[in-house]
Amino acid sequence: SSGINAEYGIVVPYLTRILCSDHPFGVAISKFATDLKTSIQSDSSLHLQQIVADVKVFIQMMMDSIASHYFEIPTYCPPPLANIFMRTAVVEALFSLIYDDVFTLYARKYTEDDAIHALKTNQYLTLSPAHLAIKQKFWLNMWTNDDGTPFLTTSGEIPILSPPYHNAVLTLRALPSLRSTVQKVASLVKTVDAIYKCIQDHWKGKMSKDEVVVRAD
């Protein structure tokens, strides 16, 4: 894992800098982005499905060009990883230019779905963890003793705790500000990791890690 992260940390930033520069690859991405933005802004009937298809074709074309020009990349790391690294760099460079315009199309297409989702989200705000059948040890709103009674301080008070899953919530809140699919997926992964860490930190020294593992149920 550390080796993969090291390779990622070298290859992806290097390629991203090239793709965001006046290198011929960077010029190609800039031209595609400009043409795409012009098409979106000048033709309101343009279908999102066609835009997505065009973007996918262009990303693959750029990956093939990079692999041909920088032939050492597939030899520097295994082909599956090389493809992931190249795609990540292309997506990062491209979406930094087209994100706002493409997102506008998505927002327009899924307006009704977004409204339904927002309504359901507001309904969830009125529910407690008990309503969702979440085990009490995962509520993180208090510490409990082995018999389920609240853990009290030496003065007989319930300890004041930070809001449950606070760090995970802060991580997730950054999602709307991210401008590429790669960054958004990475943010979701970080949120899951933060949920795990919140639970482990909350029960550290009071429950074993095996007792507070978040399982599929």
Side-chain angles (χ1 to χ4, degrees):
S1 175
S2 60
I4 293 175
N5 289 333
E7 293 168 350
Y8 182 96
I10 294 173
V11 176
V12 175
Y14 174 74
L15 288 178
T16 302
R17 283 196 298 272
I18 289 175
L19 298 175
C20 293
S21 70
D22 56 358
H23 184 281
F25 289 157
V27 173
I29 284 184
S30 180
K31 182 179 184 307
F32 177 83
T34 299
D35 291 345
L36 185 69
K37 289 159 68 76
T38 301
S39 298
I40 293 175
Q41 294 168 5
S42 62
D43 187 357
S44 59
S45 65
L46 202 60
H47 291 293
L48 176 62
Q49 185 176 1
Q50 182 59 53
I51 293 293
V52 172
D54 291 345
V55 169
K56 286 183 176 179
V57 169
F58 178 76
I59 289 174
Q60 187 59 56
M61 182 191 73
M62 288 300 304
M63 289 173 58
D64 292 342
S65 298
I66 292 171
S68 297
H69 187 79
Y70 295 102
F71 57 86
E72 66 271 20
I73 291 179
T75 60
Y76 178 73
C77 49
L81 285 180
N83 288 335
I84 292 174
F85 293 170
M86 289 187 291
R87 178 178 294 276
T88 298
V90 172
V91 168
E92 287 286 335
L94 178 60
F95 273 81
S96 68
L97 301 175
I98 67 172
Y99 177 82
D100 289 335
D101 297 274
V102 174
F103 183 78
T104 298
L105 291 180
Y106 271 95
R108 185 189 307 161
K109 179 177 177 60
Y110 294 103
T111 299
E112 292 184 5
D113 292 331
D114 286 344
I116 294 173
H117 176 71
L119 179 61
K120 289 182 177 180
T121 300
N122 289 332
Q123 292 172 342
Y124 276 124
L125 293 176
T126 65
L127 300 178
S128 70
H131 291 139
L132 300 174
I134 297 174
K135 295 178 180 178
Q136 189 169 359
K137 63 184 177 181
F138 295 129
W139 295 5
L140 307 193
N141 60 348
M142 68 174 66
W143 288 311
T144 56
N145 299 308
D146 292 338
D147 60 1
T149 58
F151 174 88
L152 304 178
T153 64
T154 54
S155 60
E157 298 176 343
I158 296 178
I160 298 176
L161 306 177
S162 60
Y165 300 103
H166 184 60
N167 289 338
V169 171
L170 291 179
T171 303
L172 190 59
R173 279 180 178 171
L175 192 63
S177 66
L178 303 177
R179 298 174 59 82
S180 79
T181 52
V182 173
Q183 293 174 0
K184 289 181 182 293
V185 171
S187 178
L188 293 177
V189 173
K190 289 179 181 177
T191 299
V192 172
D193 291 340
I195 289 173
Y196 171 81
K197 190 174 187 309
C198 286
I199 295 171
Q200 295 296 327
D201 289 348
H202 179 86
W203 291 111
K204 187 175 181 179
K206 301 176 182 66
M207 282 193 185
S208 68
K209 289 186 177 182
D210 291 338
E211 290 179 285
V212 289
V213 169
V214 181
R215 306 186 189 280
D217 59 349

